[in-house]
Amino acid sequence: MPSRVYGPTDPDSWDPLTNAISPPSDESAQEREIRIKHELEAKQKSDAIDEDLNRQRAAEKKGPKPVRVLLLGQSESGKSTFLKFFKLMHDPKAFSAERASWRAVIQLNVVRSIHVILDAMTHPSQPRHDPRKQITSSTSSSPLSGEIPLPEDTSDVEPELIQIRYRLSSLLQVEDFLTRQLTPKDYSEVGTTQLAPMNHIKHVATELAINSSVPWKQRFDRLVGKGDTERMIIDWDDPNDPGKILHACGEDMIRLWQHPNVQQMLEKQNLRLEEMAGFFLDSLSEITAERYLPSDEHILRARLKTLGVSEHQVKVSAGSDIGSDWRIFDVGGHRSLRAAWAPFFENNLDAIIFLAPISAFDQVLAEAPKVNRLEDSVSLWASIVANKILQRTDLILFLNKCDLMAAKLASGIKLKDYVYDKLFEKKVCWDIEREFAAAQNILLSLYLGHGYTVNTESYCKHQGHADARLAETLDSSFVNAMTRKWDLRRTCEVISPPR
Ligand SMILES: Nc1nc2c(ncn2[C@@H]2O[C@H](COP(=O)(O)OP(=O)(O)OP(=O)(O)O)[C@@H](O)[C@H]2O)c(=O)[nH]1
Ligand SMILES: [Mg+2]
């Protein structure tokens, strides 16, 4: 770059630093010699530091590269849950340090489910239009702030339930308080996201969503005792702790949920709350206990919708010979958020893990109530497989939510009412175990194409390179952990398609 020399006659160009380091005008020959010697020594020192830094940088380049994994899939496919599992397995201390934050999310999940019931009570005898397309995983509640609406016709509602409903109005304060805590004002992108209204539901559904860049977990640090992160201590004397109101409302919430009339009403309206993400009404006595701290299993079940893309560093201690430094990128799967994925496709990825929730075959998207979730998931997977930029990236397909799928089949919901396969034409009478396996294979063939034999183990072994080892690490540690933690026969399948 051309330099400009300013003379002492140019007052505007006078630079104090140049002035400070330039030799004095009356410097003697001996002083000059000493100064030059010092300058030479300083230069040698500076060069040595530069060389050192260059050596360090080169060593870092040669050293083991972090394993970079991108999680993809539609909203509620289980991406963030996968990440939680992974942290729990490989860095349980860090997982535990987030316990107080997840406690708040679980409390909010509970309040939301109760609100759905109270909403349903406002039109108790109104059946939903199409039971098959009933959204169960996404909410059907009105925004939780404001008032809990009065039933349109109270003659149908038992007086006991009306009283419970009035007493539970205090839950609104909990909702407001927790939402404010989780969504700080200085982050304008954050907040409850309005989902598309459904034609058969009067109210606009809302779900709490948080941008990944928001340090929301840190907001709960003050609630957590310092020191031993394994034994978290909440400030139980805090008068603002929402746990106090939840505790006071505990019995009413349990009575409401277990009331035969409420169950009947929910059934009539085809509201399957059990399938709603963040369902905790079966654990109310635990969650409303005076000193409730979430278990690992509760943390895994907690639902908080993701906005944006976030990078998570996990130190994988054992069981992986492909590197201990893992970087996992979690994204929001809502349709409006998928455009944000593209910049991460070129990010030196080792693998993309695609979460396919196979239990979603009878559901529709919250953001597009006419689109079947399975159809959306399969076409999303197909577009990722076909993406030119990803031709050299390994793709791993996770068939997730197998437990919910098994429960659905056991409850009498038939896959053949939603998906065609020639297997269904054979009038074979399967027991539920075999029906589950068959249904899983039918769904898998939708993703991978008919005729492809699924054999995860042999595929991984035959490949014999780093990518297969990655799939193997996930397969062995993740699947086992999922099975153990959720106490399920099997909750997912890992499949690496041939590329
Ligand atoms: N029963 C069951 N529940 C699961 C499974 N995987 C995830 N879930 C639950 O499904 C809900 C949604 O999961 P998330 O991990 O939040 O979904 P996501 O893909 O991150 O969704 P977005 O952030 O909206 O893109 C959570 O309440 C999870 O606990 C599974 O295999 N079985
Ligand atoms: Mg998420």
Side-chain angles (χ1 to χ4, degrees), residues 79-80 303-306 330-331:
K79 300 178 293 297
S80 303
R303 164 67 177 161
L304 185 63
K305 185 180 162 190
T306 311
D330 186 20
V331 304

Side-chain angles (χ1 to χ4, degrees), residues 43 51 95 106 171 199 216 225 236 274 349 398:
K43 168 113 181 39
E51 258 175 53
F95 178 89
I106 292 163
L171 287 181
N199 44 15
W216 64 275
W236 303 114
E274 297 84 347
L349 290 174
F398 252 100

Side-chain angles (χ1 to χ4, degrees), residues 85-86 88-89 300 474-488 491:
F85 258 123
F86 204 78
L88 173 63
M89 275 186 308
L300 293 169
L474 291 167
D475 194 16
S476 57
S477 56
F478 181 68
V479 178
N480 289 343
M482 272 194 132
T483 314
R484 203 177 60 236
K485 288 287 165 200
W486 235 306
D487 192 23
L488 303 164
T491 65

Side-chain angles (χ1 to χ4, degrees), residues 103-374:
R103 176 179 180 257
V105 174
I106 292 163
Q107 289 170 332
L108 208 48
N109 287 169
V110 165
V111 176
R112 191 165 165 251
S113 297
I114 293 291
H115 205 103
V116 172
I117 298 178
L118 297 178
D119 252 8
M121 280 167 66
T122 61
H123 33 83
S125 48
Q126 185 184 318
R128 310 273 157 168
H129 289 328
D130 185 351
R132 283 196 196 165
K133 289 181 181 162
Q134 178 59 51
I135 291 185
T136 49
S137 57
S138 305
T139 184
S140 60
S141 90
S142 62
L144 291 179
S145 48
E147 282 177 19
I148 293 182
L150 283 165
E152 282 161 359
D153 177 8
T154 47
S155 57
D156 270 2
V157 186
E158 252 191 50
E160 188 202 356
L161 287 175
I162 294 181
Q163 278 172 9
I164 291 178
R165 190 180 56 80
Y166 276 116
R167 287 200 295 270
L168 290 182
S169 303
S170 54
L171 287 181
L172 290 176
Q173 291 168 32
V174 175
E175 194 274 334
D176 271 353
F177 178 81
L178 287 170
T179 307
R180 263 185 283 117
Q181 271 196 311
L182 288 163
T183 56
K185 274 203 187 82
D186 26 329
Y187 289 90
S188 54
E189 252 190 283
V190 180
T192 47
T193 307
Q194 296 228 320
L195 303 180
M198 288 154 53
N199 44 15
H200 55 278
I201 288 174
K202 289 180 180 172
H203 311 289
V204 176
T206 64
E207 184 176 25
L208 188 79
I210 286 205
N211 194 303
S212 344
S213 62
V214 175
W216 64 275
K217 287 175 187 158
Q218 281 91 307
R219 293 177 70 83
F220 293 85
D221 280 357
R222 63 176 190 84
L223 291 175
V224 177
K226 297 278 173 256
D228 185 358
T229 49
E230 286 304 306
R231 292 183 64 243
M232 288 294 154
I233 303 154
I234 303 279
D235 178 4
W236 303 114
D237 298 327
D238 181 355
N240 293 322
D241 178 12
K244 291 204 164 25
I245 297 183
L246 279 169
H247 177 60
C249 292
E251 273 184 27
D252 275 339
M253 286 195 274
I254 293 171
R255 264 211 298 275
L256 181 78
W257 170 240
Q258 291 178 351
H259 201 288
N261 289 8
V262 169
Q263 288 298 326
Q264 222 174 33
M265 175 198 69
L266 293 175
E267 205 184 316
K268 208 160 158 185
Q269 299 195 24
N270 295 303
L271 270 172
R272 299 198 295 266
L273 292 190
E274 297 84 347
E275 290 172 27
M276 195 169 114
F279 172 79
F280 284 102
L281 297 185
D282 58 349
S283 316
L284 279 174
S285 51
E286 281 169 73
I287 294 171
T288 60
E290 220 167 352
R291 298 194 163 199
Y292 168 66
L293 260 188
S295 61
D296 293 351
E297 194 233 333
H298 279 189
I299 295 176
L300 293 169
R301 275 166 56 190
R303 164 67 177 161
L304 185 63
K305 185 180 162 190
T306 311
L307 295 178
V309 182
S310 59
E311 180 181 346
H312 300 258
Q313 188 170 3
V314 184
K315 288 277 168 227
V316 173
S317 42
S320 170
D321 54 352
I322 57 168
S324 60
D325 183 8
W326 282 53
R327 310 290 163 94
I328 302 184
F329 296 86
D330 186 20
V331 304
H334 189 275
R335 277 190 164 187
S336 64
L337 302 170
R338 294 178 193 169
W341 299 358
F344 290 81
F345 287 179
E346 290 174 291
N347 227 351
N348 299 327
L349 290 174
D350 288 285
I352 285 179
I353 298 174
F354 186 89
L355 280 288
I358 58 166
S359 62
F361 64 87
D362 63 337
Q363 293 172 321
V364 291
L365 288 180
E367 63 268 42
K370 288 192 178 144
V371 180
N372 177 282
R373 286 192 66 196
L374 175 65

